[in-house]
């Protein structure tokens, strides 16, 4: 059976752990880890602490080891497992480059450009969400110019219409 882990706390560390343990804003797991460290520093054994807190012994040993290796930072939750994100910063930079021009873009057209450049497919909603995260806003494209047409535009249109009617 391995020797118990010896944890010695300074008064500052004890105060920090007590603050973490009693702060309701701190996540529950972090509060429980702080409590486990304090109990271990008081000389309690790992199986007894595990039973008291409702933890598995291996979980408790991992938490104690993280405290010994990293101190107060070891109490925080680590990065959760999972697949790495498919969206990269290069894709965001590419979209910024495209949108900097004068051309009007829609989410499906941006999606096609991303597929051609990076060989990945996304849902158009993903592209819209990423654009919002990047700070872009958009509105529906107007199909009709704003305001009344000028007199010369009306005359030019009538001339073109007359020519089209004559078969020109």
């Amino acid at each position: 059976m391995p020797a118990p882990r010896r944890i010695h706390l300074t008064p500052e560390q004890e105060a920090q752990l007590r603050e973490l343990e009693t702060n309701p804003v701190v996540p529950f797991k972090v509060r429980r880890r702080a409590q486990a460290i304090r109990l271990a520093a008081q000389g309690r054994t790992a199986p007894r602490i595990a039973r008291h807190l409702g933890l598995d012994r291996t979980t408790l040993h991992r938490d104690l080891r993280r405290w010994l290796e990293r101190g107060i930072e070891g109490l925080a939750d680590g990065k959760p497992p999972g697949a790495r994100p498919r969206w990269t910063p290069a894709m965001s930079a590419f979209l910024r480059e495209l949108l900097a021009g004068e051309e009007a873009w829609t989410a499906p057209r941006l999606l096609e450009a991303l597929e051609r450049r990076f060989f990945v497919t996304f849902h158009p909603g993903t592209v819209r969400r990423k654009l919002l995260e990047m700070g872009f806003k958009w509105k529906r494209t107007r199909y009709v110019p704003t305001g009344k047409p000028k007199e010369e535009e009306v005359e030019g249109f009538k001339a073109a219409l007359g020519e089209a009617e004559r078969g020109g």
Side-chain angles (χ1 to χ4, degrees), residues 78-98:
K79 184 180 179 299
R84 63 180 181 83
R86 291 176 41 213
W87 191 275
T88 63
M91 292 176 188
S92 296
F94 177 68
L95 285 184
R96 284 188 198 282
E97 185 180 303
L98 286 179

Side-chain angles (χ1 to χ4, degrees), residues 5-161:
R5 296 190 187 274
R6 299 283 180 213
I7 294 181
H8 302 285
L9 298 176
T10 65
E12 295 83 25
Q13 289 174 328
E14 176 78 26
Q16 277 183 318
L17 289 173
R18 183 174 294 282
E19 171 62 31
L20 284 175
E21 189 180 336
T22 59
N23 189 344
V25 177
V26 174
F28 172 74
K29 288 183 178 183
V30 176
R31 289 189 313 220
R32 189 171 55 189
R33 289 180 194 129
Q35 186 178 11
I37 300 300
R38 286 187 56 247
L39 290 172
Q42 293 171 3
R44 306 251 172 93
T45 63
R48 189 171 169 194
I49 296 170
R51 272 194 312 275
H52 176 70
L53 297 177
L55 294 172
D56 187 55
R57 281 190 346 206
T58 56
T59 303
L60 179 65
H61 282 292
R62 183 195 64 218
D63 293 341
L64 295 176
R65 185 178 61 248
R66 283 172 53 187
W67 169 262
L68 291 172
E69 291 171 358
R70 293 187 273 169
I72 199 82
E73 290 85 22
L75 297 180
D77 287 332
K79 184 180 179 299
R84 63 180 181 83
R86 291 176 41 213
W87 191 275
T88 63
M91 292 176 188
S92 296
F94 177 68
L95 285 184
R96 284 188 198 282
E97 185 180 303
L98 286 179
L99 295 172
E102 293 294 319
E103 190 173 353
W105 289 90
T106 62
R109 285 190 56 218
L110 287 171
L111 185 62
E112 290 172 7
L114 282 170
E115 288 175 1
R116 281 194 309 270
R117 175 80 180 265
F118 295 100
F119 306 105
V120 293
T121 57
F122 291 106
H123 187 272
T126 303
V127 175
R128 288 187 198 103
R129 190 180 75 247
K130 290 297 182 180
L131 288 171
L132 283 173
E133 288 174 8
M134 293 165 54
F136 286 99
K137 303 251 189 257
W138 60 87
K139 57 185 174 182
R140 182 179 59 85
T141 305
R142 291 187 61 90
Y143 296 108
V144 179
T146 59
K148 283 191 154 195
K150 298 177 183 163
E151 188 63 38
E152 58 267 7
E153 291 175 338
V154 172
E155 290 174 9
F157 176 73
K158 286 181 181 176
L161 185 60

